[in-house]
Amino acid sequence: MLDEKVELETIDKQDAEYKDLLSRVLTIQCDCEICGPHLYVDQMLPGAPTKTMQLVVARTAAEEIDHYRKMAKIAGDIGTDVSHVLRWDNQKRYVEAFRTNITTWEDFAVFGFLIDRVGKYQLDEFLPCSYQPLQRAVETMVDEEAGHIEFGTNEAAEMALKGGEQKERIQKSIDYWYVKGLDMFGMSQSKRSERFIHWGLKRRQNAQAREEYTAEVNAHITRMGLQIPDPLEGRLYL
Amino acid sequence: MDDREYLAHPYLRAPAEEDAMVQANEYALKLDDYLKDVITAVKDSCTAGAARLRDNPDAADKAIKDAEEILDEVMAGKTDDWIA
């Protein structure tokens, strides 16, 4: 594994594969950051249950756009233009989970609880990271991402606590997003994943990150008094 | 996305020459400046809206509307217009 600390000024000394993989991971990360607002701004900003929640949606969207911006800046500095993901509609997203829209408050909450949590795991891959500009950017993002997760988790837990129809709706939403989240970690047997680790651009295999994530979210779901969905049903990437 | 999809995607293709020197992308850098302003504007609207929620709900509504308009523009994704 590469243990060298690479800066923009020294990236030209790196192997072509290093630059290629860095460009790829930044492109995917940018797509993941901007896709959230594309999923929920249209319907959840006007449709959130209270004014306070509307402000939460707007603030969350601004923070995610800022995360996109930070990643896109790093990509731009190495010559990679990722602005196509700003122009894409949701059906074109790299990640299958984002080829949809969020139209209900429980989906907004569960998206924060489960999918933003995957986002946090993805960011954690870069802590540490051989490419120092990327590591420094991520260090400024993780607290905001944790805030999105906490909000979503608390909202989901409150709805589950109310029981009855509210609980059924939150269970249905978890059933939908749970497998999407697991798929977001990618194939367990990914050769590319090994190359990312080799170059110090990621620190865990996909399967390991997914396993840690699963243990974390299962504990939350159980505490909410909800059923853990079948982790294999409807999965695309195993 | 599996490895084959990664390799096939035109936006994720490998550089043409292995020894190509990295060069900053000007278009990306211009978008960065635009987005900085947008993000600040939305956050400012949210802060203003949150401060008026109790004493002046109309002002809070106005702040939410402002944030919505700015975000709708970003969601529309007309990046050429942003930096024109």
Side-chain angles (χ1 to χ4, degrees):
Chain A
M1 178 177 163
L2 181 72
D3 57 4
E4 189 181 334
K5 294 188 187 308
V6 181
E7 295 284 355
L8 176 60
E9 294 75 18
T10 56
I11 194 168
D12 277 324
K13 294 177 186 166
Q14 296 302 315
D15 192 280
E17 185 188 25
Y18 183 90
K19 289 185 264 188
D20 179 44
L21 289 176
L22 178 60
S23 179
R24 285 168 190 267
V25 78
L26 287 167
T27 304
I28 300 294
Q29 195 63 36
C30 281
D31 194 41
C32 290
E33 297 294 349
I34 202 65
C35 78
H38 275 273
L39 290 184
Y40 53 72
V41 162
D42 183 42
Q43 296 200 47
M44 287 298 99
L45 183 44
T50 64
K51 291 186 206 310
T52 302
M53 296 306 179
Q54 284 182 286
L55 290 167
V56 168
V57 173
R59 178 93 194 183
T60 303
E63 289 174 353
E64 296 292 8
I65 294 167
D66 197 31
H67 296 176
Y68 162 87
R69 184 191 67 76
K70 288 174 177 175
M71 291 287 164
K73 174 69 166 59
I74 297 168
D77 284 342
I78 62 167
T80 302
D81 176 19
V82 296
S83 63
H84 57 282
V85 304
L86 291 167
R87 297 185 290 273
W88 273 359
D89 64 45
N90 291 357
Q91 294 311 312
K92 281 188 180 173
R93 296 288 165 205
Y94 290 116
V95 178
E96 194 274 339
F98 300 137
R99 296 174 195 157
T100 184
N101 284 297
I102 288 179
T103 60
T104 67
W105 190 246
E106 56 268 21
D107 274 342
F108 181 78
V110 172
F111 187 84
F113 166 40
L114 293 179
I115 305 302
D116 279 336
R117 195 180 300 270
V118 178
K120 172 81 164 38
Y121 270 75
Q122 289 170 337
L123 293 179
D124 284 345
E125 290 302 314
F126 308 128
L127 298 175
C129 171
S130 60
Y131 192 56
Q132 295 296 284
L134 177 54
Q135 180 175 326
R136 286 193 291 269
V138 168
E139 284 168 352
T140 69
M141 293 159 60
V142 286
D143 286 350
E144 286 180 344
E145 206 63 53
H148 304 165
I149 296 164
E150 186 180 6
F151 178 82
T153 305
N154 291 342
E155 282 292 299
E158 279 184 29
M159 283 188 256
L161 195 62
K162 287 176 183 167
E165 190 197 351
Q166 285 268 36
K167 187 174 179 180
E168 286 173 18
R169 289 171 65 171
I170 207 75
Q171 179 71 60
K172 189 178 168 192
S173 185
I174 285 174
D175 291 347
Y176 176 82
W177 289 107
Y178 185 83
V179 288
K180 302 283 185 193
L182 296 182
D183 269 344
M184 284 175 68
F185 289 93
M187 304 287 282
S188 294
Q189 305 298 324
S190 167
K191 287 192 168 56
R192 189 173 303 281
S193 178
E194 291 171 12
R195 299 310 294 164
F196 278 121
I197 293 168
H198 170 79
W199 289 113
L201 291 168
K202 288 189 176 183
R203 62 185 180 87
R204 287 175 294 203
Q205 296 281 1
N206 294 345
Q208 184 195 342
R210 177 165 35 233
E211 194 175 312
E212 292 173 16
Y213 169 86
T214 303
E216 188 177 316
V217 296
N218 284 359
H220 280 288
I221 292 169
T222 302
R223 272 199 297 275
M224 291 176 193
L226 297 168
Q227 298 297 313
I228 296 167
D230 181 342
L232 298 176
E233 191 177 340
R235 287 280 300 284
L236 298 175
Y237 305 113
L238 295 169
Chain B
M1 187 177 287
D2 64 23
D3 288 356
R4 282 167 303 172
E5 286 177 273
Y6 270 119
L7 289 169
H9 205 288
Y11 288 112
L12 297 175
R13 62 189 180 279
E17 295 178 27
E18 289 198 352
D19 59 351
M21 299 280 281
V22 300
Q23 199 166 17
N25 182 290
E26 289 301 320
Y27 192 79
L29 300 184
K30 285 180 186 172
L31 286 177
D32 183 67
D33 287 337
Y34 170 84
L35 287 173
K36 270 184 199 164
D37 292 342
V38 161
I39 292 154
T40 301
V42 175
K43 287 183 176 177
D44 286 350
S45 285
C46 291
T47 302
R52 308 310 298 273
L53 272 172
R54 288 189 180 164
D55 70 320
N56 190 344
D58 287 345
D61 282 340
K62 169 75 167 55
I64 292 166
K65 195 72 189 166
D66 288 347
E68 193 174 351
E69 282 179 12
I70 300 164
L71 288 169
D72 283 347
E73 192 170 316
V74 179
M75 296 300 98
K78 294 179 179 171
T79 54
D80 289 344
D81 293 349
W82 300 349
I83 59 175

